Amino acid sequence: MDDDMVFDPSLKKKKKKKTGFDLDAALAGEQGESTSVEAPAGTGDVDLPEDDNLDLDNFGKKKKKKKKGVFNMEELESTLPETPPAEEPEQQEDEVIDDLDLDIDFSKTKKKKKKKNIEELVLEDDKGEDQENVEDVSGDLWSGTDRDYTYDELLERVFDIMREKNPSMVSGKKQKFIMRPPQVVRIGTKKTSFANFTEICKTLHRQPKHLLDFLLAELGTSGSVDGNSQLIIKGRFQQKQIENVLRRYIKEYVTCHTCRSPDTILQKDTRLFFLQCETCGSRCSVASIKSGFQAVTGKRAAIRAKTA
Amino acid sequence: MSIQNLNTYDPFADAIKSSEDDVQDGLVHVRIQQRNGRKTLTTVQGLSSEYDLKKIVRACKKEFACNGTVVEHPEYGEVLQLQGDQRENICQWLTKSGLVKPEQLKVHGF
């Protein structure tokens, strides 16, 4: 219904324009074919009825095409960086835990994408060849005439230009960030070892001290990095629990809050930490790490003996 | 028909109202601490001092069937302590009772 609503006025517009066009064409006809400016109009004047049809088609296509354009972007993205995760979007949320796959929000978009892709594949064959032609036509739609361009046409044009100029933006948007899961082993009964702690710090491009502070503050315990660069935490923790905390760390201190890109730098500026994004250039302050209130859990007598 | 633009408008009306209607200021941190063995302790820090924490803890103890106390801390004010992992329970209870808005709750720990 809405389509029709939109459709009608545009049709009317076109008719108006067409009359203008006709005049031009008629003029061209009267003046003869020698005028070079009217050359496109000359072609137009033969195709006039056809042109109109084309317009109609374009409208139908444009709507589909707009979606399709998005699909294409997504398709490219999904094919370019990593195909395997894209194949199993449903299971992804489960796998997220295993892979420590960090863009939780992206999985949703991916699902949508997947569905669309299926539809799109059907449409693909029909529209693939037409697309370029349609674009050309749409470029010509108002260039030869003095009619107004429609919103849809302009929108399409700007998206085409955008896609053409920086394909990296399109493909980089959904760049996935895959990390090795943390290796968490219990030492004895009271301590836990986080074996690949420094490795994870390196993949996140963060100071080990910063991540250490965060982990210890979140878990409410104490711990330290030992000789073979593994983290020893007091208390019993499972891999799943550490992953949870790590994911929260990444969400807060690694991924850009604006564009979710993991390509960021954390810098300290007048006692505050700022997250500078390398992709979109945004800069925002992040919460300071505070351990907050810590209840007394050990033996009070021992603490009293220590302090006194 | 009155002219909207000429109406007197208090730019601070919003701020005053918001500070009035929610007594809770800032975040409420819900943390967990491990004790010996499988035992844990849940702490709730940052509840507004306008609430009677003793009454809250009394209700919580009954609701969650656990023990709990109110601890006075020089920096963080009064802090609620509950035995066991009550993070889920306390979050639900605080939001349901209307004491804290869900966006003000910050749950820490694994």
PDB file of all heavy atoms in Angstrom, chain A residues 166-179:
ATOM      1  N   ASN A 166      35.102   3.792  -0.992  1.00  0.00           N
ATOM      2  CA  ASN A 166      35.809   3.047   0.050  1.00  0.00           C
ATOM      3  C   ASN A 166      35.156   1.704   0.341  1.00  0.00           C
ATOM      4  O   ASN A 166      34.257   1.596   1.171  1.00  0.00           O
ATOM      5  CB  ASN A 166      35.967   3.859   1.339  1.00  0.00           C
ATOM      6  CG  ASN A 166      34.742   4.653   1.664  1.00  0.00           C
ATOM      7  OD1 ASN A 166      33.763   4.584   0.942  1.00  0.00           O
ATOM      8  ND2 ASN A 166      34.786   5.357   2.760  1.00  0.00           N
ATOM      9  N   PRO A 167      35.590   0.715  -0.392  1.00  0.00           N
ATOM     10  CA  PRO A 167      35.097  -0.633  -0.116  1.00  0.00           C
ATOM     11  C   PRO A 167      35.598  -1.155   1.222  1.00  0.00           C
ATOM     12  O   PRO A 167      35.002  -2.059   1.804  1.00  0.00           O
ATOM     13  CB  PRO A 167      35.646  -1.465  -1.278  1.00  0.00           C
ATOM     14  CG  PRO A 167      36.780  -0.682  -1.818  1.00  0.00           C
ATOM     15  CD  PRO A 167      36.530   0.751  -1.500  1.00  0.00           C
ATOM     16  N   SER A 168      36.676  -0.558   1.713  1.00  0.00           N
ATOM     17  CA  SER A 168      37.239  -1.056   2.976  1.00  0.00           C
ATOM     18  C   SER A 168      36.278  -0.799   4.113  1.00  0.00           C
ATOM     19  O   SER A 168      36.171  -1.586   5.047  1.00  0.00           O
ATOM     20  CB  SER A 168      38.566  -0.372   3.261  1.00  0.00           C
ATOM     21  OG  SER A 168      38.359   0.985   3.531  1.00  0.00           O
ATOM     22  N   MET A 169      35.566   0.309   4.027  1.00  0.00           N
ATOM     23  CA  MET A 169      34.625   0.628   5.084  1.00  0.00           C
ATOM     24  C   MET A 169      33.541  -0.436   5.143  1.00  0.00           C
ATOM     25  O   MET A 169      33.115  -0.861   6.211  1.00  0.00           O
ATOM     26  CB  MET A 169      34.003   1.983   4.809  1.00  0.00           C
ATOM     27  CG  MET A 169      33.095   2.466   5.893  1.00  0.00           C
ATOM     28  SD  MET A 169      32.077   3.791   5.317  1.00  0.00           S
ATOM     29  CE  MET A 169      30.937   2.927   4.286  1.00  0.00           C
ATOM     30  N   VAL A 170      33.127  -0.838   3.953  1.00  0.00           N
ATOM     31  CA  VAL A 170      32.070  -1.827   3.876  1.00  0.00           C
ATOM     32  C   VAL A 170      32.529  -3.156   4.453  1.00  0.00           C
ATOM     33  O   VAL A 170      31.846  -3.774   5.260  1.00  0.00           O
ATOM     34  CB  VAL A 170      31.645  -2.003   2.410  1.00  0.00           C
ATOM     35  CG1 VAL A 170      30.666  -3.135   2.280  1.00  0.00           C
ATOM     36  CG2 VAL A 170      31.057  -0.709   1.886  1.00  0.00           C
ATOM     37  N   SER A 171      33.720  -3.560   4.040  1.00  0.00           N
ATOM     38  CA  SER A 171      34.173  -4.872   4.484  1.00  0.00           C
ATOM     39  C   SER A 171      34.729  -4.816   5.891  1.00  0.00           C
ATOM     40  O   SER A 171      34.698  -5.798   6.613  1.00  0.00           O
ATOM     41  CB  SER A 171      35.239  -5.400   3.531  1.00  0.00           C
ATOM     42  OG  SER A 171      36.339  -4.523   3.515  1.00  0.00           O
ATOM     43  N   GLY A 172      35.230  -3.663   6.299  1.00  0.00           N
ATOM     44  CA  GLY A 172      35.852  -3.569   7.613  1.00  0.00           C
ATOM     45  C   GLY A 172      34.844  -3.484   8.730  1.00  0.00           C
ATOM     46  O   GLY A 172      35.172  -3.723   9.882  1.00  0.00           O
ATOM     47  N   LYS A 173      33.626  -3.146   8.373  1.00  0.00           N
ATOM     48  CA  LYS A 173      32.649  -2.891   9.419  1.00  0.00           C
ATOM     49  C   LYS A 173      32.405  -4.131  10.254  1.00  0.00           C
ATOM     50  O   LYS A 173      32.204  -4.073  11.453  1.00  0.00           O
ATOM     51  CB  LYS A 173      31.345  -2.436   8.785  1.00  0.00           C
ATOM     52  CG  LYS A 173      30.437  -1.695   9.770  1.00  0.00           C
ATOM     53  CD  LYS A 173      29.058  -1.593   9.214  1.00  0.00           C
ATOM     54  CE  LYS A 173      28.957  -0.499   8.166  1.00  0.00           C
ATOM     55  NZ  LYS A 173      27.660  -0.471   7.516  1.00  0.00           N
ATOM     56  N   LYS A 174      32.406  -5.249   9.568  1.00  0.00           N
ATOM     57  CA  LYS A 174      32.006  -6.441  10.281  1.00  0.00           C
ATOM     58  C   LYS A 174      33.194  -7.337  10.588  1.00  0.00           C
ATOM     59  O   LYS A 174      33.039  -8.541  10.758  1.00  0.00           O
ATOM     60  CB  LYS A 174      30.975  -7.179   9.447  1.00  0.00           C
ATOM     61  CG  LYS A 174      29.903  -7.818  10.235  1.00  0.00           C
ATOM     62  CD  LYS A 174      29.365  -8.974   9.486  1.00  0.00           C
ATOM     63  CE  LYS A 174      30.449  -9.955   9.152  1.00  0.00           C
ATOM     64  NZ  LYS A 174      30.043 -10.877   8.128  1.00  0.00           N
ATOM     65  N   GLN A 175      34.343  -6.713  10.649  1.00  0.00           N
ATOM     66  CA  GLN A 175      35.540  -7.501  10.895  1.00  0.00           C
ATOM     67  C   GLN A 175      35.403  -8.227  12.223  1.00  0.00           C
ATOM     68  O   GLN A 175      35.085  -7.629  13.240  1.00  0.00           O
ATOM     69  CB  GLN A 175      36.730  -6.574  10.942  1.00  0.00           C
ATOM     70  CG  GLN A 175      38.016  -7.304  10.746  1.00  0.00           C
ATOM     71  CD  GLN A 175      39.173  -6.346  10.892  1.00  0.00           C
ATOM     72  OE1 GLN A 175      39.082  -5.366  11.609  1.00  0.00           O
ATOM     73  NE2 GLN A 175      40.257  -6.636  10.233  1.00  0.00           N
ATOM     74  N   LYS A 176      35.679  -9.483  12.182  1.00  0.00           N
ATOM     75  CA  LYS A 176      35.496 -10.231  13.418  1.00  0.00           C
ATOM     76  C   LYS A 176      36.808 -10.330  14.147  1.00  0.00           C
ATOM     77  O   LYS A 176      37.880 -10.177  13.597  1.00  0.00           O
ATOM     78  CB  LYS A 176      34.937 -11.619  13.107  1.00  0.00           C
ATOM     79  CG  LYS A 176      33.480 -11.546  12.897  1.00  0.00           C
ATOM     80  CD  LYS A 176      32.688 -12.398  13.873  1.00  0.00           C
ATOM     81  CE  LYS A 176      33.318 -13.685  14.230  1.00  0.00           C
ATOM     82  NZ  LYS A 176      32.512 -14.810  13.884  1.00  0.00           N
ATOM     83  N   PHE A 177      36.649 -10.620  15.373  1.00  0.00           N
ATOM     84  CA  PHE A 177      37.755 -10.494  16.287  1.00  0.00           C
ATOM     85  C   PHE A 177      37.799 -11.810  17.037  1.00  0.00           C
ATOM     86  O   PHE A 177      36.996 -12.038  17.940  1.00  0.00           O
ATOM     87  CB  PHE A 177      37.437  -9.324  17.200  1.00  0.00           C
ATOM     88  CG  PHE A 177      38.568  -8.875  18.034  1.00  0.00           C
ATOM     89  CD1 PHE A 177      39.772  -8.588  17.453  1.00  0.00           C
ATOM     90  CD2 PHE A 177      38.413  -8.721  19.382  1.00  0.00           C
ATOM     91  CE1 PHE A 177      40.807  -8.142  18.225  1.00  0.00           C
ATOM     92  CE2 PHE A 177      39.439  -8.288  20.150  1.00  0.00           C
ATOM     93  CZ  PHE A 177      40.641  -7.995  19.570  1.00  0.00           C
ATOM     94  N   ILE A 178      38.667 -12.691  16.599  1.00  0.00           N
ATOM     95  CA  ILE A 178      38.661 -14.002  17.216  1.00  0.00           C
ATOM     96  C   ILE A 178      39.857 -14.151  18.114  1.00  0.00           C
ATOM     97  O   ILE A 178      40.977 -13.795  17.750  1.00  0.00           O
ATOM     98  CB  ILE A 178      38.617 -15.109  16.148  1.00  0.00           C
ATOM     99  CG1 ILE A 178      37.233 -15.114  15.524  1.00  0.00           C
ATOM    100  CG2 ILE A 178      38.938 -16.456  16.750  1.00  0.00           C
ATOM    101  CD1 ILE A 178      36.957 -16.252  14.635  1.00  0.00           C
ATOM    102  N   MET A 179      39.594 -14.654  19.287  1.00  0.00           N
ATOM    103  CA  MET A 179      40.655 -14.786  20.277  1.00  0.00           C
ATOM    104  C   MET A 179      40.757 -16.221  20.719  1.00  0.00           C
ATOM    105  O   MET A 179      39.794 -16.962  20.670  1.00  0.00           O
ATOM    106  CB  MET A 179      40.289 -13.947  21.497  1.00  0.00           C
ATOM    107  CG  MET A 179      41.048 -12.673  21.600  1.00  0.00           C
ATOM    108  SD  MET A 179      40.437 -11.818  23.011  1.00  0.00           S
ATOM    109  CE  MET A 179      40.963 -12.921  24.284  1.00  0.00           C
TER     110      MET A 179
END
